[in-house]
Amino acid sequence: MKRIFTTVSTAALAVALGAGAVGPWGLGSGAALAADKIVISNWDGYMPKDLPEKFKAETGIEVEVALHATNEEIMGKVVAGKGKGYDVLFVSSPFAEVLHKLGLSAPIDHAKVPNFANLYPEAASLEYDPGNTFSAPYAWGTTGLCYRSDLVEGTPSSWNDLLNPSDALKGKVTMLATDRWLMAAGMLAKGYSVNETSQAKIDEVKSQLIETKKDLLAYDDTTFYSKLVSGEASLVHAWDGWCNYGIAENDDIKYVIPQEGTDLWVDTMVITAASENKDAAHAFINYILSADNGKWVAENILYKVPNKAAMEALDGGLLASFPNLDMAPADMMKQEQLRDLGSAQKAYTKAVTEITASN
């Protein structure tokens, strides 16, 4: 999932969390492996800046952090170099699935990651990797409608409220431009799968989205919640965590999953097959899956995590302020999981290029 993180209003978040929200970092891991060093690639801001330092203090393992802006960026590097130079990758689930199919990911030895026990049972039932054999889930969530309840009449309930906005909303709507999510909105509005590969249905959705573009304020993957806060937009297509950034600044902003359903996205950690430090890579994943680290993600990035121990440790005020954080895993699993599209991914990319370039 494409992510470029921005800072949530400190004052708003402090009110939501209350004092002492972020917990201690001690993990109590095993003996230090001072000779080891690993290279990980992650999105900027997707883990604490001091995590490598704290991890080294706990384990003796040095961590070099490389950043990627998109899944596509890191996939290009990993596929071209066959994973050499990297030990752990943070990628979204369809890309983890591709790495596995290409033989570029290593099996995960659960005996070396005891903190898998912290995860919800549902986290072991994800369709792209049942049993977490080649990936470890880091964060998960849904995509839906984020709106200003004081500027929108009633409660939006359908993807068609976005694709065919009322006259009052025309020019006040934004949509995500990332391939999978722009197409998913169109697919779901027509009752199709978010993993649809039929060229005829791709073309049908493309035509609808070209019509929709005429009524949009913008395509926006990074500042849509700010447009809601300012009132420039009234209804936006949003990832749940990013909607929370708007809610932190204006409690008239709400989030809803349309009646047609939505996608369940998962961001994962994968050990590369080329890693020469697989024991250290396992130790890193185990550290990340501690309750304290998962709690940091939920509190500071405002994303749900599949870490049961972390979610149960959250302050009740945080969940009250950001209701979508409190969505039960069983309800999340009712949504359709994003999967690798195979050769149809090129058709999605071509369609989205044509949609966004249309007049």
Side-chain angles (χ1 to χ4, degrees):
M1 182 173 175
K2 178 182 178 182
R3 294 184 174 76
I4 306 172
F5 291 100
T6 54
T7 303
V8 180
S9 164
T10 303
L13 194 54
V15 170
L17 292 173
V22 179
W25 282 92
L27 179 64
S29 58
L33 302 174
D36 285 328
K37 175 183 175 180
I38 58 171
V39 178
I40 72 159
S41 190
N42 197 354
W43 290 276
D44 192 15
Y46 211 17
M47 66 183 189
K49 288 185 178 179
D50 62 354
L51 187 144
E53 178 184 346
K54 290 180 179 292
F55 177 66
K56 183 176 181 180
E58 290 281 349
T59 66
I61 302 168
E62 184 179 351
V63 176
E64 179 183 332
V65 180
L67 298 177
H68 56 261
T70 65
N71 282 296
E72 290 79 8
E73 177 188 342
I74 187 59
M75 288 294 289
K77 293 177 180 178
V78 170
V79 172
K82 298 191 182 302
K84 292 181 180 178
Y86 295 101
D87 298 286
V88 178
L89 309 172
F90 285 72
V91 293
S92 300
S93 58
F95 298 89
E97 193 173 2
V98 170
L99 289 170
H100 175 63
K101 290 177 179 178
L102 293 176
L104 295 176
S105 63
I108 292 182
D109 183 348
H110 283 232
K112 297 177 180 178
V113 190
N115 279 337
F116 266 118
N118 285 333
L119 304 188
Y120 288 106
E122 288 87 351
S125 301
L126 296 164
E127 293 172 1
Y128 65 89
D129 184 16
N132 311 125
T133 63
F134 59 83
S135 64
Y138 178 70
W140 58 6
T142 60
T143 313
L145 305 179
C146 188
Y147 67 100
R148 282 279 296 268
S149 60
D150 57 332
L151 300 180
V152 175
E153 184 176 352
T155 301
S157 60
S158 170
W159 287 108
N160 283 302
D161 292 326
L162 191 70
L163 271 63
N164 297 290
S166 64
D167 288 342
L169 288 176
K170 289 180 179 178
K172 295 282 189 177
V173 174
T174 73
M175 289 190 72
L176 301 173
T178 308
D179 292 3
R180 293 301 300 270
W181 285 277
L182 178 57
M183 293 298 289
M187 291 293 180
L188 289 164
K190 293 184 175 295
Y192 301 151
S193 166
V194 297
N195 299 308
E196 181 58 61
T197 58
S198 160
Q199 186 62 57
K201 292 179 179 177
I202 292 171
D203 290 341
E204 181 185 355
V205 166
K206 180 183 74 173
S207 296
Q208 171 61 67
L209 292 173
I210 287 173
E211 283 299 308
T212 296
K213 184 182 179 184
K214 300 172 184 177
D215 296 324
L216 295 181
L217 168 65
Y219 292 111
D220 190 342
D221 286 7
T222 57
T223 64
F224 50 84
Y225 69 91
S226 297
K227 290 182 172 68
L228 279 182
V229 172
S230 70
E232 185 181 2
S234 301
L235 172 68
V236 302
H237 182 197
W239 297 299
D240 49 7
W242 285 62
C243 187
N244 285 338
Y245 303 158
I247 294 170
E249 306 227 13
N250 185 327
D251 59 12
D252 285 322
I253 295 176
K254 311 293 182 185
Y255 177 80
V256 65
I257 293 175
Q259 62 193 11
E260 298 93 348
T262 187
D263 66 280
L264 168 61
W265 58 260
V266 186
D267 286 337
T268 75
M269 296 175 286
V270 172
I271 298 173
T272 64
S275 171
E276 297 179 358
N277 301 290
K278 290 187 175 66
D279 283 347
H282 278 86
F284 178 80
I285 289 178
N286 188 60
Y287 186 80
I288 291 291
L289 294 183
S290 72
D292 285 338
N293 285 330
K295 186 169 179 274
W296 184 93
V297 175
E299 289 176 339
N300 291 276
I301 302 179
L302 301 180
Y303 277 14
K304 291 179 283 293
V305 294
N307 192 316
K308 183 174 185 286
M311 294 298 292
E312 289 179 346
L314 294 179
D315 183 88
L318 182 74
L319 300 178
S321 296
F322 305 102
N324 71 61
L325 278 179
D326 205 22
M327 186 176 184
D331 291 332
M332 294 175 64
M333 295 292 284
K334 294 175 184 176
Q335 308 306 322
E336 191 176 12
Q337 297 172 39
L338 289 175
R339 301 294 303 275
D340 170 33
L341 296 173
S343 60
Q345 179 60 51
K346 291 182 179 178
Y348 271 55
T349 300
K350 182 174 184 290
V352 169
T353 299
E354 292 174 1
I355 293 163
T356 56
S358 65
N359 296 320

